[in-house]
Amino acid sequence: MYYSTHLVVGATIGITTGHPLKAFIAGLASHIIMDLIPHRDHEKVINCLIDVMGGSLLFALWFFAYRPGLSCLVGSVAGVLPDIEIPLYYYRLISKRYFPSHSGWIPHRKAGGRFGLLVQLLTIVGMGIWVIS
């Protein structure tokens, strides 16, 4: 999944739980669940950087405008936290991946092309609708 998708799902979970510890645990769990859904991952480093910077900027603007609370922030951080090991592994700063859906212990489902992108867009829109309602 893209960084932005994990960020939005984690933030939604944080808002839903309303408790920082629950948001952290559920945010981490959401990363595994989201990786089980067939999706598209970035194929180029520049696309990943744009996703991380753009997603973070949009999230920060939204967060400071609406002030959804600490649980939202904790959930969003927990949702994206496991992906820190991806660039560390890519650039050989660590020798293996440890997070269950990255190490192969739990399947990381992939879907290419438009379908993989559509899954993520629908997920983001769905989370937005959930938060608004």
Side-chain angles (χ1 to χ4, degrees), residues 91-113:
Y91 289 108
R92 295 182 173 87
L93 298 172
I94 58 174
S95 60
K96 67 181 203 173
R97 293 174 280 193
Y98 299 93
F99 195 71
S101 61
H102 299 161
S103 67
W105 188 64
I106 294 175
H108 189 131
R109 306 262 191 245
K110 300 210 184 254

PDB file of all heavy atoms in Angstrom, residues 91-113:
ATOM      1  N   TYR A  91      18.171   0.102   0.914  1.00  0.00           N
ATOM      2  CA  TYR A  91      19.513   0.690   0.875  1.00  0.00           C
ATOM      3  C   TYR A  91      20.524  -0.106   1.705  1.00  0.00           C
ATOM      4  O   TYR A  91      21.597   0.384   2.020  1.00  0.00           O
ATOM      5  CB  TYR A  91      19.466   2.155   1.325  1.00  0.00           C
ATOM      6  CG  TYR A  91      18.801   3.033   0.289  1.00  0.00           C
ATOM      7  CD1 TYR A  91      17.536   3.565   0.513  1.00  0.00           C
ATOM      8  CD2 TYR A  91      19.420   3.310  -0.925  1.00  0.00           C
ATOM      9  CE1 TYR A  91      16.919   4.357  -0.454  1.00  0.00           C
ATOM     10  CE2 TYR A  91      18.814   4.095  -1.879  1.00  0.00           C
ATOM     11  CZ  TYR A  91      17.565   4.610  -1.638  1.00  0.00           C
ATOM     12  OH  TYR A  91      16.952   5.394  -2.588  1.00  0.00           O
ATOM     13  N   ARG A  92      20.154  -1.333   2.056  1.00  0.00           N
ATOM     14  CA  ARG A  92      21.023  -2.294   2.749  1.00  0.00           C
ATOM     15  C   ARG A  92      21.535  -1.791   4.104  1.00  0.00           C
ATOM     16  O   ARG A  92      22.666  -2.102   4.509  1.00  0.00           O
ATOM     17  CB  ARG A  92      22.171  -2.715   1.847  1.00  0.00           C
ATOM     18  CG  ARG A  92      21.685  -3.489   0.634  1.00  0.00           C
ATOM     19  CD  ARG A  92      22.849  -3.937  -0.228  1.00  0.00           C
ATOM     20  NE  ARG A  92      22.427  -4.813  -1.305  1.00  0.00           N
ATOM     21  CZ  ARG A  92      22.006  -4.389  -2.491  1.00  0.00           C
ATOM     22  NH1 ARG A  92      21.932  -3.109  -2.760  1.00  0.00           N
ATOM     23  NH2 ARG A  92      21.652  -5.262  -3.418  1.00  0.00           N
ATOM     24  N   LEU A  93      20.694  -1.031   4.809  1.00  0.00           N
ATOM     25  CA  LEU A  93      21.048  -0.596   6.155  1.00  0.00           C
ATOM     26  C   LEU A  93      20.614  -1.636   7.184  1.00  0.00           C
ATOM     27  O   LEU A  93      21.086  -1.615   8.325  1.00  0.00           O
ATOM     28  CB  LEU A  93      20.421   0.767   6.457  1.00  0.00           C
ATOM     29  CG  LEU A  93      20.899   1.889   5.521  1.00  0.00           C
ATOM     30  CD1 LEU A  93      20.101   3.160   5.749  1.00  0.00           C
ATOM     31  CD2 LEU A  93      22.386   2.147   5.725  1.00  0.00           C
ATOM     32  N   ILE A  94      19.702  -2.517   6.785  1.00  0.00           N
ATOM     33  CA  ILE A  94      19.352  -3.697   7.574  1.00  0.00           C
ATOM     34  C   ILE A  94      19.390  -4.889   6.621  1.00  0.00           C
ATOM     35  O   ILE A  94      19.181  -4.737   5.415  1.00  0.00           O
ATOM     36  CB  ILE A  94      17.964  -3.580   8.262  1.00  0.00           C
ATOM     37  CG1 ILE A  94      16.845  -3.348   7.247  1.00  0.00           C
ATOM     38  CG2 ILE A  94      17.976  -2.485   9.324  1.00  0.00           C
ATOM     39  CD1 ILE A  94      15.433  -3.375   7.834  1.00  0.00           C
ATOM     40  N   SER A  95      19.665  -6.066   7.160  1.00  0.00           N
ATOM     41  CA  SER A  95      19.865  -7.229   6.292  1.00  0.00           C
ATOM     42  C   SER A  95      18.588  -8.000   5.977  1.00  0.00           C
ATOM     43  O   SER A  95      18.554  -8.780   5.040  1.00  0.00           O
ATOM     44  CB  SER A  95      20.880  -8.178   6.920  1.00  0.00           C
ATOM     45  OG  SER A  95      20.416  -8.625   8.175  1.00  0.00           O
ATOM     46  N   LYS A  96      17.540  -7.807   6.780  1.00  0.00           N
ATOM     47  CA  LYS A  96      16.275  -8.466   6.480  1.00  0.00           C
ATOM     48  C   LYS A  96      15.114  -7.628   7.000  1.00  0.00           C
ATOM     49  O   LYS A  96      15.306  -6.721   7.807  1.00  0.00           O
ATOM     50  CB  LYS A  96      16.230  -9.880   7.051  1.00  0.00           C
ATOM     51  CG  LYS A  96      16.221  -9.975   8.553  1.00  0.00           C
ATOM     52  CD  LYS A  96      16.197 -11.443   8.963  1.00  0.00           C
ATOM     53  CE  LYS A  96      15.635 -11.595  10.356  1.00  0.00           C
ATOM     54  NZ  LYS A  96      15.435 -12.979  10.730  1.00  0.00           N
ATOM     55  N   ARG A  97      13.918  -7.947   6.501  1.00  0.00           N
ATOM     56  CA  ARG A  97      12.704  -7.250   6.930  1.00  0.00           C
ATOM     57  C   ARG A  97      12.060  -8.063   8.052  1.00  0.00           C
ATOM     58  O   ARG A  97      12.031  -9.286   7.996  1.00  0.00           O
ATOM     59  CB  ARG A  97      11.762  -7.061   5.754  1.00  0.00           C
ATOM     60  CG  ARG A  97      12.348  -6.105   4.712  1.00  0.00           C
ATOM     61  CD  ARG A  97      11.500  -6.033   3.498  1.00  0.00           C
ATOM     62  NE  ARG A  97      11.816  -7.227   2.687  1.00  0.00           N
ATOM     63  CZ  ARG A  97      11.436  -7.383   1.437  1.00  0.00           C
ATOM     64  NH1 ARG A  97      10.718  -6.482   0.838  1.00  0.00           N
ATOM     65  NH2 ARG A  97      11.765  -8.473   0.778  1.00  0.00           N
ATOM     66  N   TYR A  98      11.510  -7.374   9.044  1.00  0.00           N
ATOM     67  CA  TYR A  98      10.984  -8.029  10.236  1.00  0.00           C
ATOM     68  C   TYR A  98       9.466  -7.975  10.361  1.00  0.00           C
ATOM     69  O   TYR A  98       8.879  -8.883  10.941  1.00  0.00           O
ATOM     70  CB  TYR A  98      11.602  -7.401  11.498  1.00  0.00           C
ATOM     71  CG  TYR A  98      13.096  -7.571  11.531  1.00  0.00           C
ATOM     72  CD1 TYR A  98      13.945  -6.596  11.021  1.00  0.00           C
ATOM     73  CD2 TYR A  98      13.662  -8.724  12.044  1.00  0.00           C
ATOM     74  CE1 TYR A  98      15.312  -6.758  11.037  1.00  0.00           C
ATOM     75  CE2 TYR A  98      15.042  -8.901  12.073  1.00  0.00           C
ATOM     76  CZ  TYR A  98      15.857  -7.908  11.561  1.00  0.00           C
ATOM     77  OH  TYR A  98      17.212  -8.078  11.576  1.00  0.00           O
ATOM     78  N   PHE A  99       8.833  -6.928   9.859  1.00  0.00           N
ATOM     79  CA  PHE A  99       7.394  -6.795  10.021  1.00  0.00           C
ATOM     80  C   PHE A  99       6.706  -7.959   9.305  1.00  0.00           C
ATOM     81  O   PHE A  99       7.091  -8.305   8.181  1.00  0.00           O
ATOM     82  CB  PHE A  99       6.914  -5.428   9.484  1.00  0.00           C
ATOM     83  CG  PHE A  99       5.528  -5.085   9.926  1.00  0.00           C
ATOM     84  CD1 PHE A  99       5.265  -4.747  11.245  1.00  0.00           C
ATOM     85  CD2 PHE A  99       4.469  -5.119   9.033  1.00  0.00           C
ATOM     86  CE1 PHE A  99       3.987  -4.439  11.666  1.00  0.00           C
ATOM     87  CE2 PHE A  99       3.187  -4.812   9.441  1.00  0.00           C
ATOM     88  CZ  PHE A  99       2.939  -4.472  10.758  1.00  0.00           C
ATOM     89  N   PRO A 100       5.701  -8.576   9.919  1.00  0.00           N
ATOM     90  CA  PRO A 100       5.114  -9.813   9.369  1.00  0.00           C
ATOM     91  C   PRO A 100       4.693  -9.769   7.901  1.00  0.00           C
ATOM     92  O   PRO A 100       4.935 -10.723   7.169  1.00  0.00           O
ATOM     93  CB  PRO A 100       3.904 -10.063  10.276  1.00  0.00           C
ATOM     94  CG  PRO A 100       4.264  -9.409  11.563  1.00  0.00           C
ATOM     95  CD  PRO A 100       5.091  -8.206  11.190  1.00  0.00           C
ATOM     96  N   SER A 101       4.098  -8.681   7.455  1.00  0.00           N
ATOM     97  CA  SER A 101       3.662  -8.626   6.055  1.00  0.00           C
ATOM     98  C   SER A 101       4.783  -8.202   5.107  1.00  0.00           C
ATOM     99  O   SER A 101       4.602  -8.201   3.900  1.00  0.00           O
ATOM    100  CB  SER A 101       2.450  -7.704   5.887  1.00  0.00           C
ATOM    101  OG  SER A 101       2.756  -6.384   6.280  1.00  0.00           O
ATOM    102  N   HIS A 102       5.942  -7.880   5.644  1.00  0.00           N
ATOM    103  CA  HIS A 102       7.108  -7.547   4.816  1.00  0.00           C
ATOM    104  C   HIS A 102       8.106  -8.702   4.764  1.00  0.00           C
ATOM    105  O   HIS A 102       8.851  -8.835   3.806  1.00  0.00           O
ATOM    106  CB  HIS A 102       7.827  -6.304   5.348  1.00  0.00           C
ATOM    107  CG  HIS A 102       6.985  -5.085   5.358  1.00  0.00           C
ATOM    108  ND1 HIS A 102       7.301  -3.993   6.121  1.00  0.00           N
ATOM    109  CD2 HIS A 102       5.835  -4.755   4.706  1.00  0.00           C
ATOM    110  CE1 HIS A 102       6.375  -3.048   5.948  1.00  0.00           C
ATOM    111  NE2 HIS A 102       5.482  -3.493   5.096  1.00  0.00           N
ATOM    112  N   SER A 103       8.117  -9.517   5.820  1.00  0.00           N
ATOM    113  CA  SER A 103       9.100 -10.595   5.924  1.00  0.00           C
ATOM    114  C   SER A 103       8.666 -11.858   5.190  1.00  0.00           C
ATOM    115  O   SER A 103       9.473 -12.759   4.987  1.00  0.00           O
ATOM    116  CB  SER A 103       9.330 -10.935   7.396  1.00  0.00           C
ATOM    117  OG  SER A 103       8.160 -11.511   7.961  1.00  0.00           O
ATOM    118  N   GLY A 104       7.378 -11.950   4.838  1.00  0.00           N
ATOM    119  CA  GLY A 104       6.874 -13.152   4.198  1.00  0.00           C
ATOM    120  C   GLY A 104       6.105 -14.043   5.154  1.00  0.00           C
ATOM    121  O   GLY A 104       5.469 -15.015   4.749  1.00  0.00           O
ATOM    122  N   TRP A 105       6.134 -13.723   6.449  1.00  0.00           N
ATOM    123  CA  TRP A 105       5.405 -14.508   7.442  1.00  0.00           C
ATOM    124  C   TRP A 105       3.899 -14.421   7.191  1.00  0.00           C
ATOM    125  O   TRP A 105       3.180 -15.394   7.324  1.00  0.00           O
ATOM    126  CB  TRP A 105       5.779 -14.024   8.839  1.00  0.00           C
ATOM    127  CG  TRP A 105       5.233 -14.880   9.929  1.00  0.00           C
ATOM    128  CD1 TRP A 105       5.550 -16.184  10.168  1.00  0.00           C
ATOM    129  CD2 TRP A 105       4.279 -14.501  10.918  1.00  0.00           C
ATOM    130  NE1 TRP A 105       4.844 -16.640  11.246  1.00  0.00           N
ATOM    131  CE2 TRP A 105       4.057 -15.630  11.733  1.00  0.00           C
ATOM    132  CE3 TRP A 105       3.590 -13.323  11.202  1.00  0.00           C
ATOM    133  CZ2 TRP A 105       3.178 -15.606  12.803  1.00  0.00           C
ATOM    134  CZ3 TRP A 105       2.720 -13.308  12.274  1.00  0.00           C
ATOM    135  CH2 TRP A 105       2.519 -14.433  13.060  1.00  0.00           C
ATOM    136  N   ILE A 106       3.430 -13.241   6.824  1.00  0.00           N
ATOM    137  CA  ILE A 106       2.039 -13.017   6.415  1.00  0.00           C
ATOM    138  C   ILE A 106       2.093 -12.520   4.973  1.00  0.00           C
ATOM    139  O   ILE A 106       2.897 -11.643   4.658  1.00  0.00           O
ATOM    140  CB  ILE A 106       1.345 -11.977   7.328  1.00  0.00           C
ATOM    141  CG1 ILE A 106       1.221 -12.543   8.746  1.00  0.00           C
ATOM    142  CG2 ILE A 106      -0.018 -11.589   6.781  1.00  0.00           C
ATOM    143  CD1 ILE A 106       0.674 -11.553   9.747  1.00  0.00           C
ATOM    144  N   PRO A 107       1.255 -13.049   4.078  1.00  0.00           N
ATOM    145  CA  PRO A 107       1.332 -12.662   2.660  1.00  0.00           C
ATOM    146  C   PRO A 107       1.135 -11.161   2.437  1.00  0.00           C
ATOM    147  O   PRO A 107       0.341 -10.512   3.110  1.00  0.00           O
ATOM    148  CB  PRO A 107       0.184 -13.436   2.008  1.00  0.00           C
ATOM    149  CG  PRO A 107      -0.156 -14.511   2.961  1.00  0.00           C
ATOM    150  CD  PRO A 107       0.205 -14.027   4.326  1.00  0.00           C
ATOM    151  N   HIS A 108       1.887 -10.640   1.518  1.00  0.00           N
ATOM    152  CA  HIS A 108       1.779  -9.249   1.083  1.00  0.00           C
ATOM    153  C   HIS A 108       1.213  -9.309  -0.335  1.00  0.00           C
ATOM    154  O   HIS A 108       1.943  -9.570  -1.282  1.00  0.00           O
ATOM    155  CB  HIS A 108       3.156  -8.587   1.097  1.00  0.00           C
ATOM    156  CG  HIS A 108       3.139  -7.112   0.880  1.00  0.00           C
ATOM    157  ND1 HIS A 108       3.816  -6.253   1.683  1.00  0.00           N
ATOM    158  CD2 HIS A 108       2.524  -6.338  -0.034  1.00  0.00           C
ATOM    159  CE1 HIS A 108       3.645  -5.012   1.255  1.00  0.00           C
ATOM    160  NE2 HIS A 108       2.860  -5.047   0.200  1.00  0.00           N
ATOM    161  N   ARG A 109      -0.067  -9.093  -0.461  1.00  0.00           N
ATOM    162  CA  ARG A 109      -0.753  -9.268  -1.739  1.00  0.00           C
ATOM    163  C   ARG A 109      -0.497  -8.078  -2.658  1.00  0.00           C
ATOM    164  O   ARG A 109      -0.542  -6.937  -2.234  1.00  0.00           O
ATOM    165  CB  ARG A 109      -2.251  -9.419  -1.516  1.00  0.00           C
ATOM    166  CG  ARG A 109      -2.601 -10.504  -0.542  1.00  0.00           C
ATOM    167  CD  ARG A 109      -2.978 -11.765  -1.268  1.00  0.00           C
ATOM    168  NE  ARG A 109      -3.566 -12.704  -0.330  1.00  0.00           N
ATOM    169  CZ  ARG A 109      -3.014 -13.864  -0.018  1.00  0.00           C
ATOM    170  NH1 ARG A 109      -1.890 -14.222  -0.558  1.00  0.00           N
ATOM    171  NH2 ARG A 109      -3.587 -14.672   0.832  1.00  0.00           N
ATOM    172  N   LYS A 110      -0.256  -8.371  -3.898  1.00  0.00           N
ATOM    173  CA  LYS A 110       0.015  -7.319  -4.877  1.00  0.00           C
ATOM    174  C   LYS A 110      -0.977  -7.401  -6.025  1.00  0.00           C
ATOM    175  O   LYS A 110      -1.408  -8.477  -6.405  1.00  0.00           O
ATOM    176  CB  LYS A 110       1.427  -7.444  -5.408  1.00  0.00           C
ATOM    177  CG  LYS A 110       2.471  -7.335  -4.310  1.00  0.00           C
ATOM    178  CD  LYS A 110       3.736  -6.745  -4.820  1.00  0.00           C
ATOM    179  CE  LYS A 110       4.772  -6.740  -3.729  1.00  0.00           C
ATOM    180  NZ  LYS A 110       5.033  -5.500  -3.165  1.00  0.00           N
ATOM    181  N   ALA A 111      -1.331  -6.249  -6.538  1.00  0.00           N
ATOM    182  CA  ALA A 111      -2.161  -6.133  -7.742  1.00  0.00           C
ATOM    183  C   ALA A 111      -1.602  -4.959  -8.529  1.00  0.00           C
ATOM    184  O   ALA A 111      -1.440  -3.874  -7.996  1.00  0.00           O
ATOM    185  CB  ALA A 111      -3.623  -5.896  -7.386  1.00  0.00           C
ATOM    186  N   GLY A 112      -1.299  -5.189  -9.753  1.00  0.00           N
ATOM    187  CA  GLY A 112      -0.689  -4.149 -10.562  1.00  0.00           C
ATOM    188  C   GLY A 112      -1.704  -3.263 -11.260  1.00  0.00           C
ATOM    189  O   GLY A 112      -2.913  -3.454 -11.168  1.00  0.00           O
ATOM    190  N   GLY A 113      -1.167  -2.294 -11.937  1.00  0.00           N
ATOM    191  CA  GLY A 113      -1.958  -1.443 -12.814  1.00  0.00           C
ATOM    192  C   GLY A 113      -3.054  -0.648 -12.132  1.00  0.00           C
ATOM    193  O   GLY A 113      -2.961  -0.283 -10.972  1.00  0.00           O
TER     194      GLY A 113
END
